[in-house]
């Protein structure tokens, strides 16, 4: 460990920015050259992708930045215009005819590393997965795992997809892919993002001050987009790692008018079980029915007869541009996960757990540019999600009916929005959104009448928003009105975001917003002691005691940038009401209606800090988040002595230190993560006599979340090498290796209590053990 710190200390004392640098490129793609120059001279280019495609340059000299730009200008005919000391816009010579035109300059400043940037106007974070530099512990640019390097986003249970944005739960995040709502929880029960990063062009992350065009969730927004234009040439990519293989194709059908993209990704677990896969499944299935406890409470694996754990995802998009004013795009997705476990419980008892998750969807988007001031976009979208879990018990002397839990979500909507440039200072956005939800929950326990809960609801929303830019001010003020049919209620949601540039280096910012959420996940208490998919989607419905959550959040902060330094500090306060105890797992009912849902509230306050430094090819940053989350449920049906208690995922301190370094075609990354332990409730044994006179022991809770897990530490690293497979440098290749939890530390991520032979045992869930992955990719 000391060697690692010494290494980075030595690198840090290197001069901050040399006036001249040695650069050498021999017939290299311009896009790669610009990316490399960004790293060397600590600047950022903004340009249209079409400008740099199919352009190669040669340059070998010891030059200043301005000299390098002059040479590139003479070789390519492109102009390089400084917007400020760190940002350069690339455009064609104004005297040359071109169809490429920058209608509105949106400046993005590098946030964490290349591929992470921040909109200097509205503060939103943009992630470009295919452009992303290497990150600690990631062999490939997993979208959701990459987001966890932001100080505002955490995953307390080490899941790739269970993202907690400033204390919000994962179901409170709005996740969109080309306008389609994604409900799927992730491959391998959340271990991998269900989105192919190589066809996801960019991801906009809204943490606070959300635009009024986004509704139906009370936490963050993750808005993913694929190719926005017709491909100029054939693009093909294929790759594999220890868990999966994938491929994509982008193809122009009619030049500049019609193009298509298709991609597919499938697991390799049908072919072989890698060490990577076994490590993940060991974490996922620990302390479930797949393990039994001996008299001392030690767990041992149950004999396994069959193990199938597969996943796949498929994406496609068609882009049609009949002329300069119209563009149509048709997108589709299909995500699948299947689990089939057969275990031998002994005494002629066989238990078969089968689980299936699917999420299909489609969207049709029409863009119509009326003139220089008016632009209209209509998005018709549909999402179809299904989660099915079957427990089939086979006994020698009796037949037991299978138990089934089925959860379906059908989400159909139409979003229309119009943007009008009122003046150089004002841009007006107006729109409407209609969304219809059809939710089904069907629970059928063996020998018990099935419980069916089917609800429908539509939400009609209208919104208006004005963006004001003048001198050092940026102000976005909007309001969204919603009508919820199930509760026959109108909710108004004002939204505000503002920033003011004090000088070339300092900016202050603030936001305020109100949000409501019509669809949430609740904990379904039933026969599923495998404990892997007890969460089901339900609609806000007074008949089922599920209230409509409401959230109010304010933020304030400051941003400093100078000579490669970035300091971003933001504090926030969030108050949420209308929360159901069912959604937090605070009840112990076997059906939704057996116990009354208790309504509560949640208060969260904290601040996030990002401190980053660029030193030539090194990027190093510290992310720190302090937060305090408190729940208040006055009438919980538990033996709680207080109505107020820490939230389940209340991690007071989260600290990460990440480093990336480039050397020629190599990239290295090293990252350390530390969090304080989250709360858990201590159970004591409680004896009761059942209807047959037998004494049974069950867990009883005196106080909620009164204890905390141990602190969490993890060190991750990764390395990758980019090269060409041909002398013409048209076929790109990549080889990479990543390691998570290098020291194989046993990190606590959860506690549970289990009765076995009338004894109550405390079980500890541990995070991922030493986990490695390798990747090889080819694209051209």
């Amino acid at each position: 460990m000391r060697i690692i710190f010494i290494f980075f200390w030595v690198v840090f004392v290197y001069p901050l920015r040399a006036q001249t640098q040695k650069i050498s490129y021999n017939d290299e793609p311009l896009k790669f050259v610009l990316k490399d120059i960004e790293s060397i001279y600590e600047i950022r280019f903004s340009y249209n992708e079409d400008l740099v495609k199919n352009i190669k340059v040669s340059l070998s000299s010891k030059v200043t930045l301005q000299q390098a730009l002059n040479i590139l200008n003479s070789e390519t005919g492109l102009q390089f215009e400084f917007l400020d000391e760190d940002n350069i816009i690339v455009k064609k010579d104004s005297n040359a005819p071109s169809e490429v035109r920058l209608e509105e300059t949106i400046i993005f400043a590098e946030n964490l590393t290349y591929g992470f940037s921040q909109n200097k106007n509205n503060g939103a974070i943009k992630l470009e997965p295919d452009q992303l530099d290497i990150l600690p512990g990631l062999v490939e640019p997993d979208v959701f795992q990459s987001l966890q390097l932001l100080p505002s986003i955490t995953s307390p249970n080490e899941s790739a997809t269970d993202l907690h944005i400033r204390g919000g739960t994962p179901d409170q995040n709005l996740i969109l892919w080309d306008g389609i709502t994604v409900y799927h929880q992730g491959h391998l029960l959340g271990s991998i993002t269900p989105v192919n990063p190589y066809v996801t062009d960019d991801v906009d992350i809204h943490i606070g001050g959300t635009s009024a065009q986004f509704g139906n969730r009370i936490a963050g927004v993750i808005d993913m987009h694929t190719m926005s234009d017709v491909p100029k040439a054939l693009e093909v990519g294929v790759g594999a790692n220890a868990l999966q293989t994938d491929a994509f194709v982008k193809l122009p059908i009619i030049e500049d008018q019609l193009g298509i993209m298709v991609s597919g990704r499938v697991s390799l677990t049908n072919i072989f079980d890698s060490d990577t896969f076994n490590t993940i499944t060991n974490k996922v299935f620990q302390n479930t029915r797949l393990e039994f406890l001996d008299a001392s409470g030690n767990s041992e694996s149950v004999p396994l007869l069959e193990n199938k754990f597969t996943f796949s995802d498929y994406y496609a998009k068609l882009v049609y541009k009949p002329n300069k004013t119209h563009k149509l795009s048709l997108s589709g997705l299909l995500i699948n996960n299947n689990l089939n476990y057969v275990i031998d419980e002994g005494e002629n008892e066989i238990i078969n757990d089968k689980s299936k998750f699917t999420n299909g969807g489609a969207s049709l988007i029409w863009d119509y540019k009326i003139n220089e001031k008016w632009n209209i976009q209509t998005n018709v979208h549909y999402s179809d999600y299904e989660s099915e879990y079957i427990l089939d018990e086979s006994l020698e002397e009796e037949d037991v009916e299978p138990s089934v839990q089925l959860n379906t979500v059908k989400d159909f909507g139409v979003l229309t929005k119009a943007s009008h440039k009122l003046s150089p200072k004002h841009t007006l956005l107006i729109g409407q959104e209609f969304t219809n939800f059809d939710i089904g929950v069907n629970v059928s326990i063996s020998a018990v009448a099935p419980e069916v809960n089917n609800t429908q609801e539509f939400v009609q929303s209208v919104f208006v928003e004005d963006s004001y830019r003048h001198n050092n001010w940026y102000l976005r003020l909007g309001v969204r009105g919603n009508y919820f049919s199930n509760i026959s209620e109108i909710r108004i949601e004002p939204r505000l975001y503002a920033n003011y540039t004090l000088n070339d280096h300092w900016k202050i910012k603030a936001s305020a917003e109100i949000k409501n959420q019509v669809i949430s996940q609740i904990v379904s208490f039933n026969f599923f002691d495998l404990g892997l998919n007890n969460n089901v989607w339900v609609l806000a419905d007074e008949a089922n005691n599920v209230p409509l959550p409401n959230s109010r959040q304010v933020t304030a902060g400051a941003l400093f940038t100078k000579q490669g330094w970035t300091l971003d500090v933001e504090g926030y306060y969030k108050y949420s009401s209308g929360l159901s105890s069912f959604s937090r797992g605070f009840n112990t009912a076997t059906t939704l209606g057996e116990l009354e849902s208790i309504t509560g509230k949640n208060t969260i306050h904290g601040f996030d800090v990002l401190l980053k430094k660029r030193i030539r090819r090194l990027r190093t940053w510290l992310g720190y988040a302090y937060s305090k989350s408190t729940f208040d449920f006055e009438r919980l049906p538990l033996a709680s002595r207080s109505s107020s208690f820490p939230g389940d995922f209340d991690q007071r301190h989260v600290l990460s230190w990440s480093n990336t370094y480039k050397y020629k075609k190599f990239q290295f990354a090293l990252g350390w993560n530390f969090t304080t332990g989250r709360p858990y409730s201590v159970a004591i044994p409680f004896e009761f006599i059942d209807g047959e006179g037998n004494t049974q022991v069950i867990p009883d809770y005196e106080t909620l979340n009164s204890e905390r897990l141990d602190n969490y530490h993890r060190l991750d690293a990764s390395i990758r090498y980019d090269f060409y497979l041909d002398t013409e440098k048209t076929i790109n290749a990549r080889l990479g290796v990543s390691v998570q939890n290098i020291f194989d530390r046993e990190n606590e991520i959860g506690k549970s209590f289990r009765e076995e032979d009338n004894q109550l045992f405390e079980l500890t869930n541990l995070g991922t053990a030493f986990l490695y992955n390798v990747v090889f990719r080819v694209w051209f």
Side-chain angles (χ1 to χ4, degrees):
M1 196 68 179
R2 182 179 299 177
I3 296 175
I4 296 171
F5 279 92
I6 292 175
F7 168 76
F8 282 104
W9 182 84
V10 171
V11 176
F12 264 71
V13 299
Y14 197 88
L16 297 183
R17 179 186 281 185
Q19 294 300 311
T20 60
Q21 301 292 340
K22 173 67 176 177
I23 56 178
S24 180
Y25 311 106
N26 182 21
D27 199 32
E28 298 278 7
L30 179 58
K31 189 173 183 178
F32 167 79
V33 173
L34 294 178
K35 183 177 179 180
D36 200 48
I37 290 177
E38 284 184 322
S39 175
I40 294 173
Y41 294 100
E42 300 184 358
I43 48 88
R44 181 173 177 84
F45 292 106
S46 297
Y47 54 85
N48 189 301
E49 292 283 342
D50 293 338
L51 283 177
V52 301
K53 280 187 177 179
N54 304 320
I55 298 179
K56 295 185 178 181
V57 296
S58 297
L59 170 60
S60 181
S61 181
K62 188 175 183 179
V63 292
T64 65
L65 172 60
Q66 189 59 57
Q67 290 171 336
L69 297 179
N70 292 339
I71 296 173
L72 291 177
N73 171 259
S74 64
E75 284 203 20
T76 65
L78 297 175
Q79 290 185 337
F80 299 85
E81 177 183 327
F82 280 85
L83 295 173
D84 54 39
E85 65 177 15
D86 293 323
N87 291 275
I88 302 173
I89 192 168
V90 184
K91 57 185 180 180
K92 280 199 172 182
D93 193 317
S94 58
N95 297 320
S98 173
E99 293 185 4
V100 177
R101 178 166 48 87
L102 296 175
E103 299 175 356
E104 182 179 353
T105 301
I106 300 176
I107 305 174
F108 288 90
E110 183 179 284
N111 185 259
L112 298 181
T113 185
Y114 195 87
F116 266 105
S117 56
Q118 186 172 28
N119 188 314
K120 284 197 170 183
N121 283 333
N122 61 33
I125 304 296
K126 180 180 289 292
L127 170 66
E128 299 169 280
D130 196 31
Q131 305 298 317
L132 193 61
D133 278 348
I134 194 170
L135 294 174
L138 294 182
V139 71
E140 295 194 272
D142 185 287
V143 175
F144 289 175
Q145 289 193 68
S146 301
L147 298 183
Q148 294 175 31
L149 291 175
L150 295 169
S152 309
I153 303 178
T154 62
S155 179
N157 59 0
E158 281 193 347
S159 167
T161 55
D162 283 351
L163 301 183
H164 295 248
I165 299 179
R166 287 185 172 166
T169 52
D171 66 309
Q172 295 174 354
N173 300 323
L174 178 62
I175 301 176
L176 300 171
W177 184 88
D178 274 356
I180 306 167
T181 306
V182 179
Y183 294 92
H184 193 271
Q185 302 303 296
H187 294 317
L188 297 181
L189 295 175
S191 301
I192 303 171
T193 302
V195 177
N196 190 336
Y198 298 105
V199 297
T200 305
D201 283 3
D202 60 79
V203 183
D204 293 324
I205 304 101
H206 304 269
I207 296 172
T210 312
S211 169
Q213 64 183 297
F214 298 108
N216 290 332
R217 295 294 192 280
I218 63 174
V221 177
I222 301 173
D223 190 12
M224 298 175 281
H225 311 94
T226 58
M227 68 175 192
S228 59
D229 215 336
V230 178
K232 295 294 182 182
L234 173 66
E235 296 181 46
V236 178
V238 62
N241 60 36
L243 295 171
Q244 66 193 31
T245 182
D246 76 278
F248 74 86
V249 176
K250 296 181 182 180
L251 175 67
I253 299 175
I254 301 176
E255 185 177 358
D256 296 329
Q257 286 191 330
L258 183 64
I260 191 172
M261 176 275 292
V262 294
S263 77
R265 183 168 58 162
V266 297
S267 60
L268 296 174
T269 53
N270 272 339
I271 303 174
F272 68 97
D273 292 346
S274 64
D275 290 340
T276 308
F277 171 76
N278 289 330
T279 301
I280 290 175
T281 55
N282 288 340
K283 177 210 168 190
V284 169
F285 293 117
Q286 63 181 315
N287 296 329
T288 65
R289 195 188 323 106
L290 303 184
E291 298 179 344
F292 69 88
L293 303 178
D294 60 20
S296 301
N298 300 315
S299 62
E300 297 183 21
S301 297
V302 174
L304 188 62
L305 304 180
E306 186 176 354
N307 170 13
K308 288 185 179 180
F309 205 174
T310 62
F311 64 85
S312 62
D313 57 63
Y314 305 95
Y315 298 91
K317 186 170 187 177
L318 186 73
V319 178
Y320 176 52
K321 294 180 66 177
N323 51 50
K324 294 181 180 180
T325 60
H326 293 275
K327 181 173 72 173
L328 288 169
S329 61
L330 178 63
S331 303
L333 63 86
L334 178 62
I335 308 170
N336 290 296
N337 266 243
N338 289 281
L339 160 69
N340 190 3
Y341 264 66
V342 182
I343 58 178
D344 185 358
E345 287 277 18
E347 298 181 357
N348 299 313
E349 181 179 5
I350 304 298
I351 296 182
N352 185 193
D353 290 284
K354 290 181 285 189
S355 181
K356 180 178 71 173
F357 297 88
T358 61
N359 197 160
S363 67
L364 177 63
I365 300 176
W366 170 46
D367 279 292
Y368 176 33
K369 181 177 176 59
I370 301 175
N371 52 43
E372 294 298 321
K373 293 187 175 182
W374 278 99
N375 191 85
I376 297 178
Q377 183 186 94
T378 297
N379 175 12
V380 182
H381 56 87
Y382 175 72
S383 184
D384 188 350
Y385 168 81
E386 180 177 305
S387 166
E388 183 181 38
Y389 180 66
I390 300 175
L391 172 63
D392 194 352
E393 298 180 270
S394 220
L395 302 175
E396 182 180 34
E397 298 180 353
E398 60 178 310
D399 292 330
V400 180
E401 289 292 328
S403 298
V404 179
Q405 175 177 284
L406 179 66
N407 183 210
T408 59
V409 179
K410 298 183 186 300
D411 174 347
F412 171 79
V414 179
L415 169 65
T416 301
K417 56 185 179 181
S419 174
H420 177 49
K421 196 169 185 61
L422 294 170
S423 70
K425 298 179 183 178
H426 290 274
T427 300
L428 183 67
L429 178 69
I430 57 176
Q432 73 81 35
E433 183 175 21
F434 172 84
T435 310
N436 186 79
F437 298 94
D438 188 347
I439 312 294
V441 179
N442 191 334
V443 178
S444 175
I445 303 177
S446 59
V448 178
E451 175 198 354
V452 180
N453 179 23
N454 292 318
T455 54
Q456 285 187 330
E457 179 165 8
F458 71 82
V459 182
Q460 178 64 62
S461 306
V462 293
F463 55 88
V464 59
E465 186 172 80
D466 179 52
S467 298
Y468 171 79
R469 299 177 185 86
H470 182 60
N471 294 334
N472 295 335
W473 278 101
Y474 175 82
L475 178 67
R476 188 181 66 201
L477 179 63
V479 62
R480 182 183 180 95
N482 307 288
Y483 173 74
F484 299 98
S485 66
N486 254 13
I487 59 176
S488 300
E489 190 172 322
I490 295 176
R491 296 280 183 97
I492 305 299
E493 303 175 355
R495 313 279 180 87
L496 169 68
Y497 176 84
N499 67 54
Y500 179 74
T501 303
L502 295 172
N503 51 45
D504 291 341
H505 308 299
W506 281 100
K507 176 183 291 186
I508 56 176
K509 52 187 177 176
S511 71
E513 61 188 8
I514 295 178
K515 295 179 179 179
N516 296 278
Q517 180 160 336
V518 68
I519 180 172
S520 307
Q521 282 188 320
I522 68 170
V523 178
S524 172
F525 290 91
N526 42 44
F527 58 90
F528 304 122
D529 57 335
L530 189 60
L532 298 178
N533 41 300
N534 281 349
N535 293 340
V536 295
W537 291 97
V538 297
L539 285 169
D541 185 4
E542 294 179 355
N544 285 316
N545 296 317
V546 180
L548 182 76
N550 171 272
S551 173
R552 305 181 180 204
Q553 178 176 271
V554 294
T555 70
L559 175 66
F560 170 80
T561 56
K562 185 177 182 181
Q563 295 182 345
W565 283 100
T566 298
L567 174 63
D568 193 349
V569 181
E570 191 164 278
Y572 60 91
Y573 175 84
K574 182 177 179 181
Y575 173 81
S576 299
S577 59
L579 302 179
S580 168
S581 55
F582 283 149
S583 68
R584 303 292 169 168
F586 298 145
N587 290 328
T588 54
T590 57
T591 66
L592 298 184
E594 186 171 313
L595 282 181
E596 177 188 2
S597 171
I598 307 302
T599 301
K601 55 191 178 182
N602 180 206
T603 302
I604 306 169
H605 68 269
F607 61 88
D608 304 322
V609 180
L610 171 65
L611 177 62
K612 175 197 161 187
K613 175 60 181 172
R614 292 181 302 173
I615 307 175
R616 299 190 69 204
R617 298 172 182 265
L618 171 72
R619 279 150 172 81
T620 181
W621 66 90
L622 284 170
Y624 171 72
Y626 167 81
S627 67
K628 182 178 180 180
S629 174
T630 304
F631 283 108
D632 193 343
F633 286 82
E634 294 184 355
R635 296 184 298 110
L636 275 179
L638 290 171
S640 177
R641 299 294 182 261
S642 172
S643 63
S644 181
F645 53 91
D648 290 348
F649 300 101
D650 175 45
Q651 291 178 299
R652 295 292 169 86
H653 305 281
V654 178
L655 178 67
S656 65
W657 180 34
S658 303
N659 306 270
T660 65
Y661 181 73
K662 294 184 191 177
Y663 177 72
K664 295 184 178 179
K665 302 294 184 180
F666 287 94
Q667 291 191 41
F668 307 89
L670 182 70
W672 174 69
N673 297 280
F674 167 84
T675 67
T676 52
R678 64 185 182 91
Y680 70 94
S681 302
V682 177
I684 58 176
F686 175 77
E687 295 184 355
F688 78 100
I689 301 176
D690 61 18
E692 298 179 358
N694 300 316
T695 301
Q696 293 187 3
V697 173
I698 62 171
D700 185 29
Y701 300 90
E702 290 189 341
T703 57
L704 286 173
N705 293 341
S706 58
E707 298 293 331
R708 287 186 177 267
L709 304 174
D710 290 342
N711 293 337
Y712 177 103
H713 302 263
R714 198 177 85 183
L715 186 68
D716 303 332
S718 48
I719 180 174
R720 81 182 186 201
Y721 176 61
D722 292 319
F723 56 100
Y724 296 106
L725 290 180
D726 61 334
T727 56
E728 290 78 17
K729 297 183 178 180
T730 58
I731 303 177
N732 301 271
R734 173 175 295 167
L735 183 63
V737 180
S738 68
V739 178
Q740 294 182 12
N741 197 6
I742 293 176
F743 296 116
D744 198 21
R745 179 180 168 85
E746 293 186 346
N747 286 305
E748 295 183 350
I749 60 173
K751 291 276 190 182
S752 60
F753 294 86
R754 182 169 162 185
E755 181 273 334
E756 193 89 14
D757 295 330
N758 265 351
Q759 294 187 69
L760 189 65
F761 295 101
E762 178 183 278
L763 305 179
T764 300
N765 279 29
L766 301 178
T768 305
F770 178 89
L771 178 71
Y772 71 90
N773 204 350
V774 295
V775 66
F776 178 71
R777 293 198 64 80
V778 175
W779 69 97
F780 56 87

